[in-house]
């Protein structure tokens, strides 16, 4: 997946033995989050010479009518615009609910995506939504009170006392405070919307999965089930909770680079 950005002849002229290579990573956050959660991962990727772009999906913190009108297609189109603006096909990374979004983008523009990487993510089959996959997860750490739905059914939040327990039980006190500060309201309509996929389009894009072994949001058991039914061959494990971008950002960035290096 790596590409030289400086001609070999020019490198040899300066006595450099190997080409300088770069990938473009497009990073898509999940529910109850925004692009800011990728800051440390993106910084590491850039420090290694790569391009890293974090997408801020529409509807962050929206309420009422503003939240009710947000759609999954809005998420897909916002991400697609970033992908199509890149000068070359990208490595498209989706965390959690972002797995639904990146799947929709790869279905729409498969030629613009070199590789899909799912990070602790919902990996859907055609016709599935985040809601259907989450409800099938008997091993997550959610309780009946964790998911707080607005009275007008426009948006949801995560119960304050459950945020760290569910998302990042492995966090330090400082990381736990950062997690709480990063949480936002999530529009409800996209959560229940199925994504439609075909073997001809998304099926032509290689995929990889980073499985989080201490995850309370998308359980390791569900992650494994999704990996196996999708026949994902490139799998890496992190001994982290659901938010490795916060608790293990350097490890996550280096796994992404490793996956990009070997391909899928």
């Amino acid at each position: 997946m790596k590409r030289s950005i400086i001609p070999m002849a020019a490198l040899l002229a300066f006595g450099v033995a190997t080409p300088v290579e770069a990938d473009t990573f497009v990073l898509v956050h999940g529910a109850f989050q925004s692009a800011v959660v990728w800051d440390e991962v993106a910084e590491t990727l850039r420090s290694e010479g790569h391009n890293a772009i974090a997408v801020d999906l529409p509807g962050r913190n929206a309420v009422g009518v503003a939240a009710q009108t947000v759609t999954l297609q809005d998420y897909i189109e916002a991400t697609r615009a970033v992908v199509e603006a890149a000068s070359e096909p990208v490595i498209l990374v989706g965390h959690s609910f972002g797995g639904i979004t990146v799947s929709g983008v790869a279905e729409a523009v498969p030629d613009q995506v070199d590789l899909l990487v799912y990070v602790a993510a919902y990996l859907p089959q055609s016709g599935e939504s985040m809601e259907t996959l989450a409800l099938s997860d008997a091993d997550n750490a959610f309780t009946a009170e964790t998911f707080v739905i607005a009275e007008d059914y426009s948006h949801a939040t995560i119960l304050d006392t459950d945020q760290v327990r569910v998302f990042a039980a492995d966090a330090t006190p400082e990381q736990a405070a950062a997690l709480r500060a990063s949480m936002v309201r999530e529009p409800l309509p996209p959560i229940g919307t199925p994504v439609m996929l075909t073997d001809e389009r998304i099926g032509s894009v290689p995929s990889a999965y980073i499985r989080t072994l201490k995850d309370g949001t998308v359980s390791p058991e569900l992650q494994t089930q999704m990996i196996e039914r999708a026949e994902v061959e490139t799998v890496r494990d992190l001994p982290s909770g659901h938010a490795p971008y916060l608790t293990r950002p350097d490890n996550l960035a280096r796994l992404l680079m490793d996956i990009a290096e070997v391909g899928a």
Side-chain angles (χ1 to χ4, degrees):
M1 297 298 167
K2 310 285 280 185
R3 295 175 181 81
S4 174
I5 59 174
I6 300 177
M8 179 63 76
L11 290 165
L12 293 175
F14 287 96
V16 181
T18 57
V20 177
E21 299 171 328
D23 286 307
T24 296
F25 293 85
V26 174
L27 311 169
V28 182
H29 63 78
F32 310 106
Q33 300 285 268
S34 65
V36 69
V37 300
W38 289 112
D39 283 356
E40 291 188 62
V41 173
E43 182 179 351
T44 298
L45 293 172
R46 292 176 190 134
S47 73
E48 296 292 332
H50 301 289
N51 305 310
I53 307 164
V55 180
D56 216 16
L57 298 178
R60 304 302 86 199
N61 264 333
V63 297
V65 173
Q68 290 168 342
T69 57
V70 177
T71 68
L72 177 61
Q73 192 61 32
D74 292 334
Y75 290 178
I76 292 170
E77 290 303 323
T79 306
R80 176 178 177 171
V82 174
V83 169
E84 292 188 315
S87 59
E88 59 187 13
V90 306
I91 297 171
L92 186 55
V93 182
H95 172 258
S96 194
F97 185 22
I100 305 288
T101 300
V102 301
S103 295
V105 174
E107 175 69 19
V109 287
D111 292 343
Q112 299 297 313
V113 181
D114 257 352
L115 176 65
L116 281 169
V117 184
Y118 296 87
V119 180
Y122 294 106
L123 173 50
Q125 300 287 294
S126 186
E128 291 182 332
S129 65
M130 173 186 158
E131 181 179 34
T132 57
L133 288 169
L135 289 175
S136 75
D137 190 357
D139 298 298
N140 65 34
F142 282 85
T143 68
E145 293 77 30
T146 300
F147 200 64
V148 182
I149 298 175
E151 291 185 3
D152 63 358
Y153 294 95
S154 65
H155 68 276
T157 57
I158 299 297
L159 189 70
D160 289 351
T161 54
D162 280 359
Q163 290 172 357
V164 175
R165 180 181 68 83
V166 173
F167 275 78
D170 57 327
T172 65
E174 293 78 12
Q175 291 169 341
L179 176 74
R180 293 188 188 97
S182 74
M183 300 295 287
V184 300
R185 293 182 289 270
E186 182 72 21
L188 276 177
I191 289 174
T193 304
V195 63
M196 308 309 294
L197 308 170
T198 63
D199 289 340
E200 294 76 19
R201 297 185 68 80
I202 189 175
S204 68
V205 180
S207 63
Y209 200 105
I210 296 176
R211 179 169 46 196
T212 42
L213 301 179
K214 299 179 181 179
D215 201 317
T217 302
V218 183
S219 72
E221 292 79 9
L222 178 61
Q223 292 181 52
T224 299
Q225 291 171 23
M226 294 185 293
I227 289 166
E228 290 177 349
R229 68 177 186 168
E231 299 180 344
V232 178
E233 295 184 358
T234 301
V235 181
R236 300 288 188 273
D237 288 336
L238 264 179
S240 78
H242 191 60
Y245 51 76
L246 174 70
T247 62
R248 295 172 179 265
D250 188 65
N251 297 94
L252 177 55
R254 300 204 175 275
L255 279 182
L256 290 172
M257 288 185 284
D258 173 65
I259 289 169
E261 182 70 35
V262 301

